[in-house]
Amino acid sequence: MVCPGTIISGGEVRRSILSPGVRVHSGALVEGSVIQHGVDVGRHAVVRNAIIDKNVRIPEGAEIGLDLDLDRERFVVSEGGVVVIGKGQKVE
């Protein structure tokens, strides 16, 4: 489900919910995720099985939800393997 005001500019979105003001740049993939208002998914980034709160910027080439051990060092990961990134949190 993609809300009005979302821009998917050459990226791909599968089985996800994108709030208004979300931008998915070229070559990026968002799959099985809930993305809140104002999130920017950089070029060639991958976001899989994640909940991302407002105003988070996913940088170019970042990988979220692919290596859960690495994700646990940076974010909250549920027992079921869902990565949660809080409001305004910095992603590197």
Side-chain angles (χ1 to χ4, degrees):
M1 179 171 153
V2 178
C3 292
T6 297
I7 298 172
I8 302 171
S9 178
E12 187 174 351
V13 177
R14 302 179 195 151
R15 300 180 348 265
S16 297
I17 299 172
L18 276 59
S19 296
V22 171
R23 182 167 185 141
V24 179
H25 293 270
S26 64
L29 171 63
V30 176
E31 185 172 31
S33 299
V34 177
I35 312 294
Q36 296 294 329
H37 184 83
V39 171
D40 186 88
V41 181
R43 298 180 69 176
H44 305 289
V46 176
V47 177
R48 184 170 289 146
N49 299 325
I51 300 171
I52 302 179
D53 207 345
K54 297 176 183 178
N55 303 319
V56 172
R57 184 182 171 282
I58 308 296
E60 182 173 336
E63 295 180 342
I64 307 295
L66 299 180
D67 182 345
L68 294 181
D69 291 328
L70 177 62
D71 290 336
R72 281 185 185 93
E73 293 174 13
R74 305 179 295 167
F75 314 113
V76 174
V77 180
S78 75
E79 288 183 22
V82 177
V83 180
V84 180
I85 300 176
K87 182 177 180 180
Q89 188 170 349
K90 188 172 183 171
V91 177
E92 297 183 32

Coordinates of all heavy atoms in Angstrom, one line a residue:
M1 N 0.8 -1.2 0.0 CA 0.0 0.0 0.0 C 0.9 1.2 0.0 O 1.8 1.4 0.8 CB -0.9 0.0 1.2 CG -1.8 1.2 1.3 SD -2.9 0.8 2.7 CE -3.3 2.5 3.2
V2 N 0.7 2.1 -1.0 CA 1.5 3.3 -1.1 C 0.5 4.5 -1.0 O -0.4 4.6 -1.7 CB 2.2 3.3 -2.5 CG1 3.0 4.6 -2.6 CG2 3.1 2.1 -2.6
C3 N 0.8 5.4 0.0 CA -0.1 6.5 0.2 C 0.2 7.7 -0.7 O 1.4 7.7 -1.3 CB 0.1 7.0 1.7 SG -0.5 5.9 2.9
P4 N -0.7 8.6 -0.9 CA -0.4 9.7 -1.8 C 0.7 10.5 -1.2 O 0.9 10.6 0.0 CB -1.7 10.6 -1.7 CG -2.8 9.6 -1.3 CD -2.1 8.5 -0.4
G5 N 1.5 11.1 -2.1 CA 2.7 11.9 -1.6 C 3.9 11.1 -1.5 O 5.0 11.6 -1.2
T6 N 3.9 9.8 -1.8 CA 5.0 8.9 -1.8 C 5.7 8.9 -3.2 O 5.0 8.9 -4.2 CB 4.6 7.5 -1.5 OG1 4.1 7.5 -0.2 CG2 5.8 6.5 -1.5
I7 N 7.0 9.0 -3.2 CA 7.7 9.0 -4.5 C 8.6 7.7 -4.6 O 9.4 7.5 -3.8 CB 8.6 10.2 -4.7 CG1 7.7 11.5 -4.6 CG2 9.4 10.1 -6.0 CD1 8.5 12.8 -4.6
I8 N 8.3 6.9 -5.6 CA 9.1 5.7 -5.9 C 9.8 6.0 -7.2 O 9.2 5.9 -8.3 CB 8.3 4.4 -6.0 CG1 7.5 4.2 -4.6 CG2 9.2 3.2 -6.3 CD1 6.5 3.1 -4.7
S9 N 11.0 6.4 -7.2 CA 11.8 6.9 -8.3 C 12.8 5.8 -8.8 O 14.0 5.9 -8.5 CB 12.5 8.2 -7.9 OG 13.3 8.7 -9.0
G10 N 12.2 4.8 -9.5 CA 13.1 3.8 -10.0 C 13.4 2.7 -9.0 O 14.2 1.8 -9.4
G11 N 12.9 2.7 -7.8 CA 13.1 1.7 -6.8 C 12.0 0.7 -6.9 O 11.1 0.8 -7.8
E12 N 12.0 -0.3 -6.1 CA 11.0 -1.4 -6.1 C 10.4 -1.6 -4.7 O 11.2 -1.6 -3.7 CB 11.6 -2.7 -6.6 CG 10.7 -3.8 -6.8 CD 11.3 -5.0 -7.4 OE1 12.5 -4.9 -7.8 OE2 10.7 -6.1 -7.5
V13 N 9.1 -1.7 -4.6 CA 8.4 -1.9 -3.3 C 7.6 -3.2 -3.4 O 6.8 -3.3 -4.3 CB 7.6 -0.7 -2.9 CG1 6.8 -0.9 -1.6 CG2 8.4 0.6 -2.9
R14 N 7.8 -4.1 -2.5 CA 7.0 -5.3 -2.4 C 6.4 -5.5 -1.0 O 7.1 -5.4 0.0 CB 7.9 -6.5 -2.7 CG 8.6 -6.5 -4.0 CD 9.4 -7.8 -4.2 NE 10.4 -7.6 -5.2 CZ 11.6 -8.2 -5.2 NH1 11.9 -9.0 -4.3 NH2 12.4 -8.1 -6.3
R15 N 5.1 -5.9 -1.0 CA 4.4 -6.3 0.3 C 4.8 -5.3 1.4 O 5.1 -5.7 2.5 CB 4.8 -7.7 0.7 CG 4.4 -8.8 -0.3 CD 4.8 -10.2 0.1 NE 5.7 -10.3 1.3 CZ 7.0 -10.5 1.2 NH1 7.6 -10.5 0.0 NH2 7.7 -10.6 2.3
S16 N 4.6 -4.0 1.2 CA 5.0 -3.0 2.2 C 3.9 -2.0 2.3 O 3.1 -1.8 1.4 CB 6.3 -2.4 1.8 OG 7.4 -3.4 1.8
I17 N 4.0 -1.2 3.4 CA 3.1 0.0 3.6 C 4.0 1.2 3.6 O 4.9 1.3 4.5 CB 2.3 -0.1 4.8 CG1 1.4 -1.4 4.7 CG2 1.5 1.1 5.1 CD1 0.7 -1.7 6.0
L18 N 3.8 2.2 2.8 CA 4.6 3.4 2.7 C 3.7 4.6 3.0 O 2.7 4.8 2.4 CB 5.2 3.6 1.4 CG 6.6 2.9 1.1 CD1 6.5 1.4 1.3 CD2 7.1 3.3 -0.2
S19 N 4.0 5.4 4.0 CA 3.3 6.6 4.4 C 3.6 7.7 3.5 O 4.5 7.7 2.7 CB 3.6 6.9 5.9 OG 3.3 5.9 6.8
P20 N 2.8 8.8 3.7 CA 3.1 10.0 2.8 C 4.5 10.6 3.1 O 5.0 10.4 4.2 CB 2.0 11.0 3.3 CG 0.9 10.2 3.9 CD 1.6 9.0 4.5
G21 N 5.0 11.1 2.1 CA 6.3 11.8 2.2 C 7.5 10.8 2.2 O 8.7 11.2 2.4
V22 N 7.3 9.5 1.9 CA 8.4 8.6 1.7 C 8.9 8.7 0.3 O 8.2 8.8 -0.6 CB 7.9 7.1 2.0 CG1 9.0 6.1 1.7 CG2 7.5 7.0 3.5
R23 N 10.3 8.6 0.2 CA 10.9 8.6 -1.1 C 11.8 7.3 -1.2 O 12.6 7.1 -0.3 CB 11.7 9.8 -1.3 CG 12.4 9.8 -2.7 CD 12.9 11.2 -3.0 NE 13.4 11.1 -4.4 CZ 13.2 12.0 -5.3 NH1 12.6 13.2 -5.0 NH2 13.7 11.9 -6.5
V24 N 11.6 6.6 -2.3 CA 12.4 5.4 -2.6 C 13.2 5.7 -3.8 O 12.6 5.8 -4.9 CB 11.6 4.1 -2.7 CG1 12.4 2.9 -3.0 CG2 10.7 3.9 -1.4
H25 N 14.5 5.8 -3.7 CA 15.3 6.2 -4.9 C 15.7 5.0 -5.8 O 15.4 3.8 -5.4 CB 16.6 6.8 -4.4 CG 16.4 8.1 -3.7 ND1 16.4 9.3 -4.3 CD2 16.2 8.4 -2.4 CE1 16.2 10.3 -3.5 NE2 16.0 9.8 -2.3
S26 N 16.2 5.3 -6.9 CA 16.5 4.3 -8.0 C 17.4 3.2 -7.4 O 18.3 3.4 -6.7 CB 17.1 4.9 -9.2 OG 18.4 5.5 -8.9
G27 N 17.0 2.0 -7.8 CA 17.8 0.8 -7.5 C 17.5 0.3 -6.1 O 18.0 -0.8 -5.7
A28 N 16.7 1.0 -5.3 CA 16.4 0.6 -3.9 C 15.3 -0.5 -3.9 O 14.5 -0.5 -4.8 CB 16.0 1.8 -3.1
L29 N 15.3 -1.3 -2.8 CA 14.3 -2.3 -2.7 C 13.8 -2.2 -1.2 O 14.5 -2.2 -0.3 CB 14.9 -3.7 -2.9 CG 14.0 -4.9 -2.5 CD1 12.8 -4.9 -3.4 CD2 14.8 -6.2 -2.6
V30 N 12.4 -2.1 -1.1 CA 11.7 -2.2 0.2 C 10.8 -3.4 0.1 O 10.0 -3.4 -0.8 CB 10.9 -0.9 0.4 CG1 10.2 -1.0 1.7 CG2 11.9 0.3 0.4
E31 N 11.0 -4.3 1.0 CA 10.2 -5.5 1.0 C 9.7 -5.9 2.4 O 10.5 -5.9 3.4 CB 11.1 -6.6 0.4 CG 10.3 -7.9 0.2 CD 11.2 -8.9 -0.5 OE1 12.4 -8.9 -0.4 OE2 10.6 -9.7 -1.2
G32 N 8.4 -6.2 2.5 CA 7.8 -6.7 3.8 C 8.0 -5.7 4.9 O 8.2 -6.1 6.1
S33 N 7.9 -4.4 4.6 CA 8.2 -3.4 5.6 C 7.1 -2.3 5.8 O 6.2 -2.2 4.9 CB 9.5 -2.6 5.3 OG 10.6 -3.6 5.2
V34 N 7.1 -1.6 6.9 CA 6.3 -0.5 7.2 C 7.2 0.7 7.3 O 8.0 0.8 8.2 CB 5.4 -0.7 8.5 CG1 4.6 0.5 8.7 CG2 4.6 -2.0 8.4
I35 N 7.0 1.7 6.4 CA 7.8 2.9 6.4 C 7.0 4.1 6.7 O 6.0 4.4 6.0 CB 8.5 3.0 5.0 CG1 9.1 1.7 4.5 CG2 9.5 4.2 5.0 CD1 10.3 1.2 5.3
Q36 N 7.3 4.8 7.8 CA 6.6 6.0 8.2 C 6.9 7.3 7.5 O 7.9 7.3 6.7 CB 6.8 6.2 9.7 CG 6.2 5.0 10.6 CD 4.7 4.9 10.5 OE1 4.0 5.9 10.3 NE2 4.2 3.7 10.7
H37 N 6.2 8.3 7.8 CA 6.3 9.6 7.1 C 7.7 10.2 7.1 O 8.4 10.1 8.1 CB 5.3 10.6 7.8 CG 5.3 11.9 7.1 ND1 4.5 12.2 6.1 CD2 6.0 13.1 7.4 CE1 4.7 13.4 5.7 NE2 5.6 14.0 6.5
G38 N 8.1 10.7 5.9 CA 9.3 11.4 5.8 C 10.6 10.6 5.7 O 11.7 11.1 5.8
V39 N 10.5 9.3 5.5 CA 11.7 8.4 5.4 C 12.2 8.5 4.0 O 11.4 8.5 3.0 CB 11.3 6.9 5.8 CG1 12.5 6.0 5.4 CG2 10.9 6.8 7.2
D40 N 13.5 8.5 3.8 CA 14.2 8.6 2.6 C 15.1 7.4 2.4 O 16.0 7.2 3.2 CB 15.1 9.9 2.5 CG 15.7 10.1 1.1 OD1 15.0 10.7 0.3 OD2 16.8 9.6 0.9
V41 N 14.8 6.5 1.4 CA 15.5 5.3 1.2 C 16.5 5.6 0.0 O 16.0 5.8 -1.1 CB 14.6 4.1 0.9 CG1 15.4 2.9 0.6 CG2 13.6 3.9 2.0
G42 N 17.8 5.6 0.3 CA 18.8 6.0 -0.7 C 18.9 5.0 -1.8 O 18.4 3.9 -1.8
R43 N 19.6 5.4 -2.9 CA 19.9 4.6 -4.0 C 20.5 3.3 -3.7 O 21.4 3.3 -2.8 CB 20.8 5.3 -5.0 CG 20.2 6.6 -5.5 CD 21.1 7.3 -6.5 NE 21.1 6.4 -7.7 CZ 21.8 6.7 -8.8 NH1 22.5 7.8 -8.9 NH2 21.7 5.9 -9.8
H44 N 20.0 2.2 -4.3 CA 20.6 0.9 -4.1 C 20.5 0.3 -2.7 O 21.2 -0.6 -2.4 CB 22.0 0.8 -4.7 CG 22.0 1.2 -6.1 ND1 21.5 0.5 -7.1 CD2 22.5 2.4 -6.7 CE1 21.7 1.2 -8.3 NE2 22.3 2.3 -8.0
A45 N 19.8 1.0 -1.8 CA 19.6 0.5 -0.4 C 18.6 -0.7 -0.4 O 17.7 -0.7 -1.3 CB 19.1 1.6 0.5
V46 N 18.7 -1.5 0.6 CA 17.8 -2.6 0.7 C 17.2 -2.6 2.1 O 17.9 -2.5 3.1 CB 18.4 -4.0 0.5 CG1 17.4 -5.1 0.7 CG2 19.0 -4.1 -0.9
V47 N 15.9 -2.6 2.2 CA 15.1 -2.6 3.5 C 14.2 -3.8 3.5 O 13.3 -3.8 2.6 CB 14.4 -1.3 3.7 CG1 13.6 -1.3 5.0 CG2 15.3 -0.1 3.7
R48 N 14.4 -4.7 4.3 CA 13.6 -6.0 4.3 C 13.2 -6.3 5.7 O 14.0 -6.2 6.7 CB 14.5 -7.1 3.8 CG 13.7 -8.4 3.6 CD 14.5 -9.4 2.8 NE 14.6 -9.0 1.5 CZ 15.7 -9.2 0.7 NH1 16.8 -9.8 1.2 NH2 15.7 -8.9 -0.6
N49 N 11.9 -6.6 5.9 CA 11.3 -6.9 7.2 C 11.6 -5.9 8.3 O 12.2 -6.3 9.3 CB 11.7 -8.3 7.6 CG 11.3 -9.4 6.6 OD1 10.2 -9.3 6.0 ND2 12.1 -10.4 6.4
A50 N 11.2 -4.7 8.0 CA 11.6 -3.6 9.0 C 10.4 -2.7 9.2 O 9.5 -2.6 8.4 CB 12.7 -2.8 8.4
I51 N 10.4 -2.1 10.4 CA 9.5 -1.0 10.7 C 10.4 0.2 10.9 O 11.2 0.2 11.8 CB 8.7 -1.3 12.0 CG1 7.8 -2.5 11.7 CG2 7.8 -0.1 12.3 CD1 7.2 -3.1 13.0
I52 N 10.2 1.3 10.1 CA 11.0 2.5 10.2 C 10.1 3.6 10.5 O 9.2 4.0 9.8 CB 11.8 2.7 8.9 CG1 12.6 1.4 8.6 CG2 12.7 3.9 9.0 CD1 13.4 1.5 7.3
D53 N 10.4 4.3 11.6 CA 9.7 5.4 12.1 C 10.0 6.7 11.3 O 10.9 6.7 10.5 CB 9.9 5.6 13.6 CG 8.7 6.3 14.3 OD1 7.8 6.8 13.7 OD2 8.7 6.2 15.6
K54 N 9.3 7.8 11.7 CA 9.4 9.0 10.9 C 10.8 9.6 10.8 O 11.6 9.5 11.7 CB 8.5 10.1 11.6 CG 7.1 9.7 11.6 CD 6.3 10.7 12.4 CE 4.8 10.4 12.5 NZ 4.1 11.3 13.3
N55 N 11.0 10.3 9.7 CA 12.2 11.1 9.4 C 13.5 10.4 9.6 O 14.5 10.9 10.1 CB 12.2 12.3 10.4 CG 10.9 13.1 10.1 OD1 10.5 13.3 9.0 ND2 10.3 13.6 11.2
V56 N 13.6 9.2 9.1 CA 14.9 8.4 9.1 C 15.4 8.4 7.6 O 14.6 8.3 6.7 CB 14.6 7.0 9.5 CG1 15.9 6.1 9.3 CG2 14.2 6.9 11.0
R57 N 16.7 8.6 7.5 CA 17.3 8.6 6.2 C 18.2 7.3 6.1 O 19.1 7.1 6.9 CB 18.2 9.8 6.0 CG 18.8 9.8 4.6 CD 19.7 11.0 4.4 NE 20.4 10.9 3.1 CZ 21.4 10.1 2.8 NH1 21.9 9.3 3.8 NH2 22.0 10.0 1.7
I58 N 17.8 6.5 5.1 CA 18.6 5.3 4.9 C 19.6 5.6 3.8 O 19.2 6.0 2.6 CB 17.7 4.1 4.4 CG1 16.5 3.9 5.3 CG2 18.5 2.9 4.1 CD1 16.9 3.4 6.7
P59 N 20.9 5.6 4.0 CA 21.8 6.1 3.1 C 22.0 5.1 1.9 O 21.6 4.0 1.9 CB 23.2 6.2 3.8 CG 23.0 5.3 5.0 CD 21.5 5.2 5.3
E60 N 22.6 5.7 0.8 CA 22.8 4.9 -0.4 C 23.6 3.6 -0.1 O 24.6 3.6 0.7 CB 23.7 5.8 -1.4 CG 23.9 5.1 -2.7 CD 24.6 6.1 -3.7 OE1 24.5 7.3 -3.5 OE2 25.3 5.5 -4.6
G61 N 23.1 2.5 -0.6 CA 23.8 1.2 -0.5 C 23.6 0.5 0.9 O 24.1 -0.6 1.1
A62 N 22.8 1.1 1.8 CA 22.7 0.5 3.1 C 21.8 -0.8 3.0 O 21.0 -0.9 2.1 CB 22.0 1.5 4.0
E63 N 22.1 -1.7 3.9 CA 21.3 -2.9 4.0 C 20.7 -3.1 5.4 O 21.4 -3.2 6.4 CB 22.2 -4.1 3.7 CG 22.8 -4.1 2.2 CD 23.6 -5.3 1.9 OE1 24.1 -5.9 2.9 OE2 23.9 -5.5 0.7
I64 N 19.4 -3.1 5.4 CA 18.6 -3.3 6.6 C 17.8 -4.6 6.5 O 17.1 -4.8 5.5 CB 17.6 -2.1 6.9 CG1 18.4 -0.8 6.8 CG2 16.9 -2.3 8.2 CD1 19.4 -0.5 7.9
G65 N 18.0 -5.5 7.5 CA 17.2 -6.7 7.5 C 17.8 -7.9 6.7 O 17.2 -8.9 6.6
L66 N 19.0 -7.7 6.3 CA 19.7 -8.8 5.6 C 20.7 -9.6 6.5 O 20.8 -10.8 6.4 CB 20.5 -8.3 4.4 CG 19.7 -7.6 3.3 CD1 20.6 -7.1 2.2 CD2 18.6 -8.5 2.8
D67 N 21.4 -8.8 7.4 CA 22.3 -9.4 8.4 C 21.8 -9.0 9.8 O 22.1 -8.0 10.3 CB 23.7 -8.9 8.1 CG 24.7 -9.5 9.1 OD1 24.3 -10.1 10.1 OD2 25.9 -9.3 8.8
L68 N 21.0 -9.9 10.4 CA 20.3 -9.6 11.6 C 21.3 -9.4 12.8 O 21.1 -8.6 13.7 CB 19.3 -10.6 12.0 CG 18.1 -10.7 11.0 CD1 17.1 -11.7 11.5 CD2 17.4 -9.3 10.9
D69 N 22.5 -10.1 12.7 CA 23.5 -9.9 13.8 C 24.0 -8.5 13.7 O 24.1 -7.8 14.8 CB 24.6 -10.9 13.6 CG 24.2 -12.3 13.9 OD1 23.3 -12.5 14.8 OD2 24.7 -13.3 13.3
L70 N 24.3 -8.0 12.5 CA 24.8 -6.6 12.4 C 23.7 -5.6 12.8 O 23.9 -4.6 13.5 CB 25.2 -6.3 10.9 CG 25.6 -4.9 10.6 CD1 26.8 -4.5 11.4 CD2 25.9 -4.8 9.1
D71 N 22.4 -5.9 12.4 CA 21.3 -5.1 12.7 C 21.1 -5.0 14.2 O 20.8 -3.9 14.8 CB 20.0 -5.5 12.1 CG 20.0 -5.3 10.6 OD1 20.7 -4.4 10.1 OD2 19.3 -6.0 9.8
R72 N 21.3 -6.1 15.0 CA 21.1 -6.1 16.4 C 22.2 -5.1 17.1 O 21.9 -4.6 18.2 CB 21.3 -7.5 17.0 CG 20.1 -8.3 16.8 CD 20.2 -9.7 17.5 NE 19.0 -10.5 17.2 CZ 19.0 -11.4 16.1 NH1 20.0 -11.5 15.3 NH2 17.9 -12.0 15.9
E73 N 23.3 -4.9 16.5 CA 24.3 -4.0 17.0 C 23.9 -2.6 16.9 O 24.3 -1.7 17.7 CB 25.6 -4.2 16.3 CG 26.3 -5.6 16.6 CD 27.5 -5.8 15.8 OE1 28.1 -4.8 15.2 OE2 28.0 -7.0 15.7
R74 N 23.0 -2.3 15.9 CA 22.7 -0.9 15.6 C 21.2 -0.5 16.0 O 20.9 0.6 16.3 CB 22.9 -0.6 14.1 CG 24.3 -0.9 13.6 CD 24.4 -0.7 12.1 NE 23.6 -1.6 11.3 CZ 23.3 -1.4 10.1 NH1 23.8 -0.4 9.4 NH2 22.5 -2.3 9.4
F75 N 20.3 -1.5 15.9 CA 18.9 -1.3 16.1 C 18.3 -2.3 17.0 O 18.9 -3.2 17.5 CB 18.2 -1.3 14.7 CG 18.9 -0.6 13.6 CD1 19.5 -1.3 12.5 CD2 19.1 0.8 13.6 CE1 20.2 -0.6 11.5 CE2 19.7 1.5 12.6 CZ 20.3 0.8 11.5
V76 N 17.0 -2.2 17.1 CA 16.2 -3.2 17.9 C 15.7 -4.2 16.8 O 15.2 -3.8 15.8 CB 15.0 -2.5 18.6 CG1 14.1 -3.6 19.2 CG2 15.4 -1.5 19.6
V77 N 15.9 -5.5 17.2 CA 15.4 -6.6 16.3 C 14.5 -7.5 17.1 O 14.9 -8.0 18.2 CB 16.6 -7.4 15.7 CG1 16.0 -8.5 14.8 CG2 17.5 -6.5 14.9
S78 N 13.3 -7.7 16.7 CA 12.4 -8.6 17.4 C 12.8 -10.0 17.3 O 13.6 -10.4 16.5 CB 10.9 -8.4 16.8 OG 10.8 -9.1 15.6
E79 N 12.2 -10.8 18.2 CA 12.5 -12.3 18.1 C 12.2 -12.9 16.8 O 12.8 -13.8 16.4 CB 11.7 -13.0 19.2 CG 12.2 -12.7 20.6 CD 11.4 -13.5 21.7 OE1 10.8 -14.5 21.3 OE2 11.5 -13.1 22.8
G80 N 11.2 -12.3 16.1 CA 10.8 -12.8 14.8 C 11.6 -12.3 13.6 O 11.4 -12.6 12.5
G81 N 12.6 -11.4 14.0 CA 13.5 -10.9 13.0 C 13.1 -9.6 12.3 O 13.6 -9.3 11.2
V82 N 12.2 -8.9 12.9 CA 11.8 -7.6 12.4 C 12.7 -6.5 12.9 O 12.8 -6.4 14.1 CB 10.3 -7.3 12.7 CG1 9.9 -5.9 12.2 CG2 9.4 -8.4 12.1
V83 N 13.3 -5.7 12.0 CA 14.2 -4.7 12.5 C 13.4 -3.4 12.7 O 12.6 -3.0 11.9 CB 15.3 -4.4 11.4 CG1 16.2 -3.3 11.8 CG2 16.1 -5.6 11.0
V84 N 13.6 -2.8 13.8 CA 12.9 -1.5 14.2 C 13.8 -0.4 14.3 O 14.8 -0.5 15.1 CB 12.1 -1.7 15.5 CG1 11.3 -0.5 15.8 CG2 11.1 -2.9 15.4
I85 N 13.6 0.7 13.5 CA 14.4 1.9 13.6 C 13.6 3.0 14.1 O 12.5 3.3 13.5 CB 15.0 2.2 12.2 CG1 15.9 1.0 11.7 CG2 15.9 3.4 12.3 CD1 16.5 1.1 10.4
G86 N 14.0 3.6 15.2 CA 13.2 4.7 15.8 C 13.2 6.0 15.1 O 14.0 6.3 14.2
K87 N 12.3 6.8 15.5 CA 12.1 8.2 14.9 C 13.4 9.0 14.9 O 14.0 9.2 15.9 CB 11.0 8.9 15.8 CG 10.7 10.3 15.3 CD 9.6 10.9 16.1 CE 9.2 12.2 15.7 NZ 8.1 12.8 16.5
G88 N 13.7 9.4 13.7 CA 14.9 10.3 13.6 C 16.2 9.6 13.8 O 17.3 10.3 13.8
Q89 N 16.3 8.3 14.0 CA 17.5 7.6 14.3 C 18.5 7.7 13.1 O 18.0 7.6 12.0 CB 17.2 6.2 14.7 CG 18.4 5.4 15.2 CD 18.0 4.0 15.8 OE1 16.9 3.7 16.0 NE2 19.0 3.2 16.0
K90 N 19.7 7.8 13.4 CA 20.7 7.9 12.3 C 21.1 6.5 11.9 O 21.5 5.6 12.7 CB 21.9 8.7 12.8 CG 22.9 9.0 11.7 CD 24.0 9.9 12.1 CE 24.9 10.2 11.0 NZ 25.8 11.2 11.3
V91 N 21.1 6.3 10.6 CA 21.5 5.0 10.0 C 22.8 5.3 9.2 O 22.9 6.2 8.4 CB 20.4 4.5 9.0 CG1 20.9 3.2 8.4 CG2 19.1 4.3 9.8
E92 N 23.8 4.4 9.5 CA 25.1 4.6 8.8 C 25.4 3.3 8.0 O 25.0 2.3 8.3 CB 26.2 4.9 9.8 CG 25.9 6.2 10.5 CD 27.0 6.6 11.4 OE1 28.2 6.3 11.1 OE2 26.8 7.3 12.4

